[in-house]
């Protein structure tokens, strides 16, 4: 129960022990006696007072009631038993309820209980009303905030829709975006928007620049001056100290951020478009062909040069696969290219690039096109190979030029040896001519003799006697000599003509371009042809000794290339020996030996010339390097030898020392080993 104050006549101390105090205590209240005229304590929840004291101190009671506010301060007046209506009315002017003496416990409990309950209910109603008012205010604020947020979201959604329109001009995009902002503000009629971007100003219709403004830079746009501005013509009349509310500033910031990202994206898209245009132009202008294969080996892209090189439009391909039989791919030796050896397959198997692989493809109209192919993997995000990019260069013209150059060098070598070759042919021709003159004379004498015998046989009555004529003929020494020497002259003439025929045949085999692809070549025959052609270069400088195994297998080589290699080495040896014996008339030796050593044929050409220093030996294959005087050598001969051997996967070793001669040891691949390539 609450604290109840008691005002009774007297000094106030008797209030607790008096009849009213005893009754209140008995009812369970905390009864406190009060001194009339003193301030009523704040902890009091009610007052029970005699009517006379209430009338005397009514202002203090009224003040206490006012101070209690919505909680209230119930007051019960105790009237004398004979109080009239006027006294009752006067008591009600201050008190909330009255009770007449004598005061009984039940009556006091009933009246005071109802009074306290009434005040409690009144306080609860006031609290409920206050709570309802607060809830209604909060709901109204939440509704307004939700409405503002919905409006902001609607604005952002429309901004997003404008930005997502495909292919629109930039100025249209910017105008449409800023037109959406003023209607989304709290006071649309007073709001204006302006956008500074691309060096241009975009404004809403009727734009006015105002002091109440908000400027937000477009971060990420790569344009320092780019910004979004919001303007209000006047502050908010309801809240003059606020120019832009938090939700308005947040909406403007979100739109500015979206525009900044859009500008960044548009810049990236423009740069990407330029890169794509550049890549397309580059693909069209590249001198080499570019192909892209997916991981399954199908062609997914080819630039115009690749389509032209492979003549894709003229081919009947089953599925545009890398190993389609329609390509007729072959390695440098002309053998069909195995699937595992294709550049695409090698990259897919190893994950590593392949560079400058030589191969050829069949042309739809006949013949072959020679290619230099490089390939590299294009990896997917998961680390696997997504595509293989292949670059190809048509080297058919280059190969033809190389072949023409090699043939020209070969003819140049023959030209340099022409005098010696002519001498080699002239010598047997001269004695053939001599023998023919001898035979002509012999046949003339024989005809004369036969004519004499015929005349003697026919003259049966004259002076001629056949027997005497035969005897005279047999006694003729000159005629006997002619008859005896004629078979020898015929044999020697035939030998001379055979020698000429051999020289011409060797020259023909040596100088003919022949096949461009490696084939089986007889090393012994190639060496014999080379020695025959170059005889004029070495016969006066050295004696040649041959030691070539009879069962030597053929080697895998382009015939003309092998002739060129052997010619350059032999002529080089002859010139070195000639230089050593210059002015002495002496001759050296060139020893040629050929044996099989496993998968290769070792061909050694050794001379007993002056030899080379280590410095010269290290540079002997360098292009344009020569030890000969100006006009005597170009430095291309041995460089050409080295290049030819490299193309045929052959090796060469030079053994030399000053005063000990020089040996060139060639290791040539045997023709029956398929793994040897060019």
């Amino acid at each position: 129960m609450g604290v109840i104050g008691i005002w009774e006549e007297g000094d106030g101390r008797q209030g607790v022990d008096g009849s009213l105090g005893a009754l209140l205590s008995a009812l369970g209240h905390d009864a406190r006696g009060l001194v009339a005229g003193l301030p009523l304590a704040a902890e009091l929840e009610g007052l029970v007072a005699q009517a006379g004291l209430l009338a005397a101190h009514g202002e203090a009671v009224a003040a206490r009631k006012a101070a209690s506010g919505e909680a209230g301060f119930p007051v019960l007046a105790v009237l004398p038993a004979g109080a009239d209506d006027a006294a009752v009315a006067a008591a009600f002017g201050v008190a909330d309820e009255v009770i007449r003496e004598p005061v009984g416990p039940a009556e006091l409990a009933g009246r005071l209980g109802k009074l306290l309950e009434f005040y409690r209910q009144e306080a609860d109603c006031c609290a409920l009303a206050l709570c309802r008012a607060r809830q209604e205010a909060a709901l109204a604020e939440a509704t307004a905030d939700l409405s503002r947020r919905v409006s902001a979201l609607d604005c952002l959604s429309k901004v997003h829709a404008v930005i997502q329109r495909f292919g629109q001009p930039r100025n249209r995009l910017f105008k449409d975006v800023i037109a959406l902002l003023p209607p989304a503000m709290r006071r649309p009629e007073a709001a204006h928007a302006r956008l500074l971007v691309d060096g241009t100003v975009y404004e809403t219709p009727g734009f006015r620049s105002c002091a109440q403004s908000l400027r937000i830079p477009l971060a990420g746009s790569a344009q320092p001056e780019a910004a979004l501005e919001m303007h209000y013509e006047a502050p908010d009349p309801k809240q003059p100290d606020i120019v832009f509310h938090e939700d308005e500033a947040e909406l403007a910031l979100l739109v500015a951020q979206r525009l900044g990202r859009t500008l960044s994206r548009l810049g990236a898209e423009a740069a990407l478009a330029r890169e794509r245009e550049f890549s397309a132009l580059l693909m069209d202008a590249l001198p080499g062909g570019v192909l892209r294969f997916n991981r399954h080996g199908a062609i997914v892209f080819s630039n115009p040069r690749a389509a032209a090189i492979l003549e894709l439009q003229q081919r009947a391909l089953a599925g545009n696969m890398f190993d389609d039989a329609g390509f007729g791919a072959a390695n440098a030796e002309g053998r069909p290219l195995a699937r595992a050896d294709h550049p695409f397959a090698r990259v897919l198997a190893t994950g590593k690039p392949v560079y400058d692989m030589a191969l050829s493809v069949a042309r739809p109209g006949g013949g072959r096109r020679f290619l230099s192919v490089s390939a590299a993997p294009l990896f997917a995000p998961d680390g696997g190979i997504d595509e293989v990019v292949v670059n190809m260069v048509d080297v058919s013209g280059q190969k033809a030029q190389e072949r023409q150059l090699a043939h020209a060098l070969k003819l140049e070598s023959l030209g340099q040896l022409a005098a010696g070759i002519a001498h080699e042919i002239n010598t047997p021709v001269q004695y053939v001519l001599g023998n023919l003159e001898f035979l002509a004379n012999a046949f003339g004498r024989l005809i004369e003799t036969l004519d004499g015998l015929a005349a003697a046989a026919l003259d049966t009555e004259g002076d001629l006697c056949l027997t005497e004529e035969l005897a005279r003929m047999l006694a003729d020494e000159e005629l006997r000599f002619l008859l005896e020497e004629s078979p020898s002259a015929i044999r020697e003439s035939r030998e001379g003509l055979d020698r000429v025929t051999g020289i011409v045949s060797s020259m023909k085999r040596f100088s003919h371009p022949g096949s461009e692809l490696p084939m089986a070549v007889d090393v012994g025959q190639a060496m014999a042809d080379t020695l025959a052609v170059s005889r004029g270069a070495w016969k006066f400088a050295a004696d040649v000794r041959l030691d070539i195994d009879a069962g030597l297998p053929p080697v895998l080589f382009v015939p003309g290339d092998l002739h060129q290699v052997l010619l350059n080495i032999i002529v080089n040896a002859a010139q070195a020996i000639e230089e050593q014996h210059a002015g002495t008339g002496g001759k050296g030796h060139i020893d040629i030996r050929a044996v099989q050593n496993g998968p290769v044929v070792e061909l050694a050409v050794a001379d007993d010339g002056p030899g080379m220093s280590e410095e010269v030996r290290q540079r002997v294959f360098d292009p344009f390097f020569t030890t000969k005087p100006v006009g005597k050598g170009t430095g291309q001969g041995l460089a050409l030898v080295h290049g030819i051997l490299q193309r045929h996967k052959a090796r060469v070793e030079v053994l030399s020392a000053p005063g000990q001669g020089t040996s060139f040891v060639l290791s040539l691949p045997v023709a029956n080993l398929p793994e040897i390539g060019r």
Side-chain angles (χ1 to χ4, degrees):
M1 296 293 183
V3 179
I4 304 298
I6 301 173
W7 272 354
E8 288 184 300
E9 296 291 343
D11 58 6
R13 291 188 298 271
Q14 64 181 358
V16 176
D17 298 328
S19 59
L20 288 176
L23 289 174
L24 290 173
S25 297
L27 293 174
H29 295 285
D30 184 3
R32 297 185 183 182
L34 304 176
V35 177
L38 294 180
L40 297 173
E43 68 269 16
L44 295 178
E45 295 184 10
L47 177 66
V48 178
Q50 290 181 340
L53 294 176
L54 285 177
H57 304 286
E59 293 181 359
V61 174
R64 180 66 177 81
K65 279 182 171 290
S68 298
E70 296 177 354
F73 187 71
V75 177
L76 178 64
V78 180
L79 294 173
D84 56 12
D85 293 339
V88 172
F92 272 116
V94 178
D96 299 293
E97 184 61 275
V98 297
I99 189 172
R100 294 177 183 273
E101 292 180 337
V103 179
E107 186 180 5
L108 180 62
R111 291 186 180 246
L112 185 59
K114 289 180 180 180
L115 184 61
L116 291 175
E117 181 64 23
F118 171 77
Y119 267 92
R120 289 191 188 96
Q121 291 180 358
E122 187 69 17
D124 290 343
C125 288
C126 290
L128 182 60
L130 179 62
C131 179
R132 181 177 296 171
R134 289 174 178 173
Q135 287 179 346
E136 290 177 351
L139 180 61
E141 179 63 24
T143 302
D145 181 67
L146 179 60
S147 177
R148 289 191 294 270
R149 290 185 178 277
V150 169
S151 177
L153 287 174
D154 180 64
C155 177
L156 290 174
S157 175
K158 292 178 179 178
V159 168
H160 178 74
V162 169
I163 290 174
Q164 291 300 111
R165 290 200 300 246
F166 180 75
Q168 63 181 324
R170 289 166 71 98
N171 59 345
R172 168 90 179 275
L173 183 152
F174 298 140
K175 288 180 180 179
D176 289 352
V177 167
I178 61 169
L180 296 171
L181 284 171
M185 298 290 106
R186 293 196 180 195
R187 294 177 291 130
E189 71 284 353
H192 304 277
R194 177 165 64 183
L195 182 63
L196 294 84
V197 65
D198 293 344
T200 306
V201 178
Y202 300 92
E203 299 174 341
T204 52
F207 176 83
R208 293 176 55 189
S209 181
C210 309
Q212 294 77 23
S213 63
L214 176 65
R215 179 184 175 90
I216 305 174
L218 302 186
S221 65
Q223 300 182 30
E225 300 301 323
L228 173 65
E229 294 181 359
M230 295 300 302
H231 294 256
Y232 262 134
E233 296 178 1
D236 190 347
K238 298 179 181 179
Q239 296 174 298
D241 56 329
I242 298 178
V243 178
F244 286 92
H245 291 270
E246 182 179 349
D247 58 293
E248 294 176 312
E250 181 181 6
L251 174 60
L253 176 62
L254 290 174
V255 173
Q257 290 175 344
R258 187 70 174 89
L259 283 172
R261 292 195 300 271
T262 300
L263 285 171
S264 176
R265 176 178 59 80
L266 291 175
E269 288 177 353
L272 181 59
R274 288 193 297 271
E275 288 297 323
R276 286 175 176 169
E277 183 180 4
F278 171 76
S279 298
L281 292 174
L282 182 63
M283 287 294 104
D284 291 343
L286 279 176
V290 177
L291 294 173
R292 281 170 40 208
F293 294 90
N294 62 20
R295 67 179 66 188
H296 305 295
I299 299 174
V300 296
F301 170 81
S302 66
N303 72 338
R305 182 58 181 157
I309 290 175
L310 296 178
E311 300 173 275
L312 294 179
Q313 293 184 350
Q314 287 77 38
R315 293 185 186 274
L317 302 177
N320 275 352
M321 299 298 290
F322 75 97
D323 58 348
D324 198 298
F327 287 118
N331 58 22
E333 290 77 32
R335 299 190 185 93
L337 188 67
R339 192 177 194 275
D341 292 335
H342 194 284
F344 168 83
R346 290 175 58 180
V347 170
L348 202 64
T350 64
K352 297 179 180 179
V354 173
Y355 298 106
D356 301 325
M357 181 177 176
L359 54 85
S360 65
V361 294
R363 302 191 64 179
R368 302 197 67 80
R369 192 185 293 274
F370 294 89
L371 308 175
S372 176
V373 179
S374 299
L378 185 63
F379 293 98
D382 60 1
I385 296 178
D386 188 38
E387 292 184 353
V388 174
V389 180
V390 174
N391 172 257
M392 62 181 66
V393 179
D394 184 1
V395 296
S396 301
Q398 178 182 340
K399 286 183 68 66
Q401 290 176 355
E402 290 177 354
R403 182 61 55 204
Q404 292 171 3
L405 176 60
H407 187 57
L409 291 173
K410 187 186 300 182
L411 293 178
E412 180 183 355
S413 300
L414 288 175
Q416 294 173 352
L417 299 173
I421 295 173
H423 179 73
E424 292 299 314
I425 293 176
N426 186 60
T427 299
V429 167
Q430 288 298 323
Y431 67 73
V432 167
L433 289 175
N435 287 336
L436 287 176
E437 185 176 356
F438 170 79
L439 290 173
N441 293 331
F443 275 101
R445 289 295 308 275
L446 285 175
I447 291 173
E448 291 177 3
T449 302
L450 290 175
D451 287 343
L453 290 175
L458 294 174
D459 189 5
T460 56
E461 298 178 355
D463 297 334
L464 296 177
C465 179
L466 180 60
T467 304
E468 293 176 357
E469 190 66 23
L470 284 173
R472 185 182 62 79
M473 183 186 65
L474 293 175
D476 189 342
E477 294 293 335
E478 182 181 359
L479 181 60
R480 185 179 296 279
F481 172 78
L482 292 175
L483 292 175
E484 291 177 354
E485 291 298 324
S486 290
S488 177
I490 293 173
R491 184 180 65 256
E492 290 177 357
S493 298
R494 185 168 186 174
E495 290 175 357
L497 292 175
D498 287 342
R499 184 172 175 184
V500 171
T501 302
I503 294 173
V504 172
S505 298
S506 296
M507 288 183 62
K508 183 178 179 182
R509 285 192 295 269
F510 185 89
S511 61
H512 194 277
S515 172
E516 294 184 355
L517 297 176
M519 57 188 298
V521 180
D522 186 341
V523 175
Q525 183 62 56
M527 180 59 73
D529 292 341
T530 304
L531 289 174
V533 171
S534 62
R535 180 178 176 82
W538 55 262
K539 72 173 183 177
F540 297 111
D543 293 326
V544 175
R545 295 179 292 205
L546 280 174
D547 182 13
I548 297 179
D549 285 356
L552 202 64
V555 296
L556 188 67
F557 234 86
V558 175
D561 286 351
L562 184 57
H563 288 146
Q564 186 70 55
V565 168
L566 298 178
L567 176 65
N568 286 0
I569 292 177
I570 290 172
V571 171
N572 194 71
Q575 290 174 347
I577 295 173
E578 185 178 11
E579 180 183 347
Q580 184 179 24
H581 295 283
T584 66
K587 295 179 68 175
H589 297 87
I590 299 176
D591 294 318
I592 301 172
R593 179 183 57 85
V595 296
Q596 183 178 6
N597 184 7
V600 297
V601 169
E602 287 188 353
L603 176 62
V605 179
D607 65 68
D608 54 4
M612 294 181 284
S613 66
E614 181 62 22
E615 180 182 1
V616 174
R617 191 186 71 83
Q618 292 289 342
R619 300 187 59 193
V620 71
F621 295 118
D622 291 352
F624 305 107
F625 175 75
T626 180
T627 58
K628 298 181 178 65
V630 177
K632 295 293 185 180
T634 63
Q636 291 287 351
L638 293 180
L640 179 63
V641 167
H642 190 260
I644 292 174
L645 293 174
Q646 278 191 323
R647 289 201 305 270
H648 290 76
K649 302 296 176 65
R651 300 188 305 275
V652 59
E653 183 179 5
V654 182
L655 307 174
S656 184
Q660 299 183 16
T662 301
S663 295
F664 285 83
V665 182
L666 310 180
S667 297
L668 310 177
V670 174
N672 59 355
L673 294 181
E675 67 272 13
I676 296 179
R678 188 171 183 176

